[in-house]
Amino acid sequence: MQVVLEDVGYAYGDLPVLEGVGFAVAEGETAVLIGPSGCGKSTLLNLIGGLLPQQTGRISTLGTPPAGCLNPLTFVFQDFALLPWRSVAGNVALALEHHRLGRAEQQARIAEVLKLCGLSDFADALPKQLSGGMRQRVGIARAIAVKPAVMLMDEPLSALDAQTRELLMEDLISIWARERTTTLYVTHNLNEAVRLADQVVVLSRRPGRIKRIVSIPVPVAERMKPEHAALVKNLHDELWSLIKAEAQVADREMQHA
Amino acid sequence: MPEVAKNTVAFRGGGFVPGTRRWAPWLAFLVIIACWETASQLRWLPALFMPAPSEVVQALHALLVDGKLVAHIVASLKRIVSGWILGSLAGITLGFMMGIFVLARSVGLPIVSALFPIPKIALLPLFILWFGIGEPSKVATIALGVFFPTVVSAFSAVDNVPRNLIRMAQSFGLSTRMIVFKVILPGAMPGILAGFRISSSIALILVVAAEMIGADTGIGAFVLAAGNLMQIDQLIGGVVLLSLLGLGVSALLSIAEKIVLRWR
């Protein structure tokens, strides 16, 4: 499914956080949203996912969800949002229980995504027994269990340490390659952006407007090859130069707020 | 080469560790009862006003044998259980509604805040007028006493369920009913069970007070009658029974917490 945003704006009361945001994400493509703190990245994701009501502009999806899709627009949250009283398998099951799946199909889906995310041995573990990286794997497993058409990932790796982040990025790349899901991914981390994105949408500070959309010409799977190192570094520097000044201003504003 | 002083680093991180000693409360009870018994045997305590623990045990044993004690306990338990269940069900329902629905919260919070501080036993005469001198007036007093702390604890427990879990459930398309039963109810259970501890103590206090005002049976009535007849051994026995009842309820709630909140 394709996601199209046209002239999207949003305000919390009198405080405008997004203005005139428009871009499209093609089917199977990953768009990473970056920008200074408070520029409305997460708000935009919540608008796309229907967790906030649209105010101005229009957000639409084009195309039909893939076969077996139970929840076309599916979130992966920064704080994992796992139910602490449910096991790993139980947390994944939550996303399936209200659909009319047979018990066998539900169990099969759970087993499949737990295997895909390396969680088969932890099906009965409670979230508190898992590391941060494993918890986020549960969040990802829960999301892909519903075979989403669009994955909305709100800083999914920001609560994790650097090593776990690297490992999970590799996992995400392989999952996306397999599932071909359209993805919108919010992050503060430019390394994640240049590593994972097909296009990087750079937002200005509040109220967030599109400052630039940077397309990355190298396929995600090949981006870590030595021959692309210079390109990746240049992209990183370009993105940083786009947000550095505004990030500093936004940081000062946050401190004074 | 100058000699360098070499000192072993001393441990200084001891103490301030939260923990319990299982034997300590038993020993404390034993010491208190032994001191009391000794003081009574040595006639340091007036036998008429403060009989020895052994005499209290004998009085309770005699009442147990002739069946009166069981009748009093059963009468009190019936009132406590029915009043507590009624008050808790109503309190949890309203607390949940206040926690979930903006209108229920806006209307309910000021009303609950206004009525909560009223000593519920003061309403017993009114309930006697409404429901008669029999069981309903006592049960209503207990139910009302249980209702308000349960509303408050259920409301704040629902309010404290992390919003991100509710948003997550919404993002997966769960219905409101499913969110209530699969996310909010389990998430609110720690707060609700903590509220049960308070409401069960209130139920115990109110049953005694209600039975002292208008009942022939029940531990409250038994304690009052014993006092009127200067049967201090029975009076203290009744108080000990109340304490044991409180401990029993607390133990039951601890078991419930272990089962329901084992994920913690």
Side-chain angles (χ1 to χ4, degrees), chain A residues 79-123:
Chain A
D79 55 12
F80 323 131
L82 301 179
L83 302 180
W85 53 88
R86 282 190 176 221
S87 66
V88 166
N91 267 285
V92 176
L94 180 84
L96 305 172
E97 284 167 359
H98 59 298
H99 297 285
R100 294 178 186 275
L101 298 179
R103 186 172 167 76
E105 189 185 347
Q106 184 175 314
Q107 293 302 320
R109 276 202 189 208
I110 293 169
E112 183 193 349
V113 296
L114 292 186
K115 189 178 174 193
L116 190 65
C117 296
L119 291 164
S120 296
D121 294 337
F122 299 91

Side-chain angles (χ1 to χ4, degrees), chain A residues 205-234:
Chain A
R205 71 189 166 92
R206 193 182 67 224
R209 299 184 185 90
I210 290 188
K211 196 166 182 183
R212 179 99 53 94
I213 295 176
V214 179
S215 292
I216 304 182
V218 179
V220 170
E222 294 174 24
R223 220 163 275 173
M224 293 309 286
K225 289 182 176 172
E227 60 262 36
H228 300 304
L231 174 79
V232 167
K233 186 181 179 312
N234 288 342

